[in-house]
Amino acid sequence: MIRTAMAAAAAALGLASAARAVPPPPPITFVQVGRVMLDPASGRVDTAKTLVIKGDGRIAEVRDGYVADPGGRVIDLKDSFVLPGLIDCHVHLTSETNPNQNVERFTKTKADLALDGAYFAKKTLEAGFTTVADLGAPNESIFALRAATASGRLAGPRILAAGSAISAHGGHGDANDMPDELVRIYRAPTICSGADECRRATREQVRSGADLIKVLATGGVLSRTNAGLNQQLTDEELKAIVQAAHSMGRIVTAHAHGADGINAFLRAGGDSIEHGTYLDPEGVRLMKQNGAYLIPTLMAGDYVAKIANGPGNFFTPAVAAKAREAGPKMLGMVSRAHAAGVKIAFGTDTGVSRHGDNAYEFVLLVRAGLSPLEAIQAATVRAADHLRISEDAGALTPGHSADLIAVKGDPLQDVSLLQHVSFVMKAGAVYKD
Ligand SMILES: [Zn+2]
């Protein structure tokens, strides 16, 4: 209602509406595909099909054989294997780990971060990821980037953004390792203590524009503090956060390493676990009971351990110690969770590792015991289910957004082929050819 009133007011004032900035829709398009996985849930591969895409950027129908109508645009992918656009449920588009990152905390503005994000968003899309969930960035930077990619003016994936994460005072998300007088300037408004403050921080995030809520339930590897990886928000705080988010129609996903924090968050009714490093049998039981998703982010564990153990290690001693401790545990954790039947959605924590490398996670998931098809499902239908966007993304059946990628060869035989995507379309527009 408020939106309608605002739109009416904007129209009365002659202001350009957001919708007017969207480029004109493409003409009717016929994508002729040699092999295609229309619905990864079934895993079935069809041959010689034509996807018909209308001006609204959605799949209108799938026809047998290679067809086209006069006047339509034809895209020839007869030599390719076509899949739904990939979904990464855990990225940080406005940053990337580098030796200057500590200085950049003080030298870069939120506008700088948004523009860095524009560069990284393009790399992400060209790597075949047509949808991402950004799980931690300043609100101003990531919400602006989300709007710019949604309008089609900027090349980038569809972005669901959590914005600033809810975290405890002194916790993983606080302004750690800086003088007290600077903490007052750099501390995010989502740092809270006590159920009331945390509930308020969650509500404020929804008001500011968060699509989903990210909570830092435990300590984290890359925060510049030696506060460990255990539970940091109390049971009461976690309950308040989950209740506030759910009551306003938002899912809540928790960054969680320690088993105490994983289990407290799941008991509070949380929806999904990022990382899950020390997942224990009780955590597995709770995840299955709740139907919660695990987003493993194997790439993050792999990448930070490589830096901490490498010749060019630039981490502080506290960060390096956490990276060496947590990194190597993640692959075995995913193997156990997968064997136990925990639902897995694809997420990389890219921004820790390099933007555009996201598909390396497929290789690690298969190393952890998933079949190539299960890994593809994690990045399509399962990710879409986790993010509540199944009607738009994750499959290429009629009605879905025309988000599709192509590779040469068969990713069901060699999942590493997904690191070399040759064609990318998002909402009917071609971004890589
Ligand atoms: Zn993260």
Side-chain angles (χ1 to χ4, degrees):
M1 243 181 31
I2 292 164
R3 283 230 174 120
T4 311
M6 282 179 65
L13 291 168
L15 300 176
S17 72
R20 216 174 294 164
V22 177
I28 187 163
T29 303
F30 299 86
V31 186
Q32 301 174 339
V33 298
R35 281 178 293 174
V36 60
M37 190 183 288
L38 294 169
D39 183 1
S42 76
R44 201 182 77 223
V45 178
D46 288 308
T47 53
K49 295 279 182 186
T50 300
L51 309 182
V52 183
I53 299 161
K54 291 274 173 66
D56 61 358
R58 290 184 179 270
I59 310 280
E61 57 178 314
V62 179
R63 292 193 201 160
D64 293 332
Y66 301 129
V67 299
D69 292 347
R73 175 177 60 157
V74 176
I75 294 174
D76 182 352
L77 296 174
K78 293 195 205 72
D79 65 348
S80 300
F81 192 115
V82 170
L83 298 150
L86 303 171
I87 302 170
D88 190 332
C89 301
H90 189 149
V91 301
H92 300 277
L93 282 175
T94 60
S95 61
E96 191 172 87
T97 305
N98 73 77
N100 295 321
Q101 216 163 10
N102 192 41
V103 173
E104 290 176 355
R105 289 200 287 170
F106 304 100
T107 56
K108 290 208 170 184
T109 66
K110 289 169 184 172
D112 291 321
L113 298 182
L115 291 172
D116 287 349
Y119 175 68
F120 294 137
K122 184 165 184 282
K123 282 186 149 187
T124 303
L125 181 59
E126 289 173 352
F129 289 82
T130 51
T131 302
V132 299
D134 189 290
L135 297 189
N139 286 351
E140 296 86 339
S141 314
I142 193 66
F143 295 159
L145 186 62
R146 176 182 63 187
T149 61
S151 75
R153 283 169 289 169
L154 195 75
R158 178 184 299 101
I159 299 169
L160 285 81
S164 191
I166 314 293
S167 175
H169 283 93
H172 180 46
D174 203 353
N176 294 302
D177 197 23
M178 60 176 76
D180 285 355
E181 57 266 40
L182 292 183
V183 172
R184 284 189 279 279
I185 299 168
Y186 286 98
R187 172 175 280 157
T190 47
I191 305 303
C192 61
S193 290
D196 283 347
E197 267 187 40
C198 293
R199 186 181 294 113
R200 177 177 182 159
T202 305
R203 291 168 172 166
E204 296 267 22
Q205 268 310 98
V206 174
R207 187 204 55 76
S208 295
D211 297 307
L212 70 169
I213 296 296
K214 166 85 172 295
V215 55
L216 308 180
T218 73
V221 172
L222 291 182
S223 43
R224 297 165 62 94
T225 168
N226 62 350
L229 297 171
N230 290 332
Q231 184 174 349
Q232 292 188 335
L233 286 159
T234 66
D235 294 7
E236 291 69 31
E237 288 164 341
L238 291 170
K239 275 184 201 136
I241 291 162
V242 170
Q243 195 272 335
H246 284 176
S247 71
M248 297 173 90
R250 300 296 188 280
I251 62 167
V252 192
T253 194
H255 155 105
H257 292 287
D260 52 357
I262 294 171
N263 297 347
F265 177 72
L266 292 168
R267 281 193 296 268
D271 299 290
S272 48
I273 296 289
E274 313 289 328
H275 317 307
T277 309
Y278 295 90
L279 184 71
D280 66 3
E282 173 63 2
V284 169
R285 190 189 70 76
L286 286 165
M287 294 206 72
K288 293 183 70 176
Q289 178 185 298
N290 293 11
Y293 273 101
L294 173 67
I295 296 93
T297 71
L298 289 168
M299 282 183 73
D302 181 75
Y303 194 79
V304 296
K306 272 183 192 148
I307 291 180
N309 293 321
N313 171 34
F314 52 80
F315 289 156
T316 66
V319 171
K322 288 185 285 183
R324 291 189 195 106
E325 161 72 16
K329 295 200 165 53
M330 296 180 75
L331 204 74
M333 177 275 297
V334 175
S335 295
R336 290 196 304 278
H338 174 249
V342 170
K343 295 197 292 184
I344 292 173
F346 185 103
T348 59
D349 211 355
T350 292
V352 171
S353 52
R354 297 166 73 92
H355 293 280
D357 290 351
N358 313 53
Y360 181 55
E361 183 81 12
F362 286 108
V363 175
L364 296 177
L365 287 171
V366 168
R367 202 172 288 168
L370 279 73
S371 69
L373 176 60
E374 287 172 327
I376 289 166
Q377 288 169 335
T380 52
V381 277
R382 296 233 155 188
D385 179 47
H386 159 54
L387 295 172
R388 313 292 200 266
I389 54 170
S390 296
E391 288 181 7
D392 288 323
L396 292 172
T397 45
H400 285 90
S401 180
D403 301 346
L404 59 97
I405 62 165
V407 293
K408 310 279 192 231
D410 185 350
L412 295 172
Q413 298 300 317
D414 178 5
V415 84
S416 73
L417 292 174
L418 293 169
Q419 294 176 98
H420 310 287
V421 166
S422 57
F423 175 90
V424 179
M425 171 182 278
K426 186 190 85 168
V430 176
Y431 289 92
K432 184 176 187 179
D433 199 350

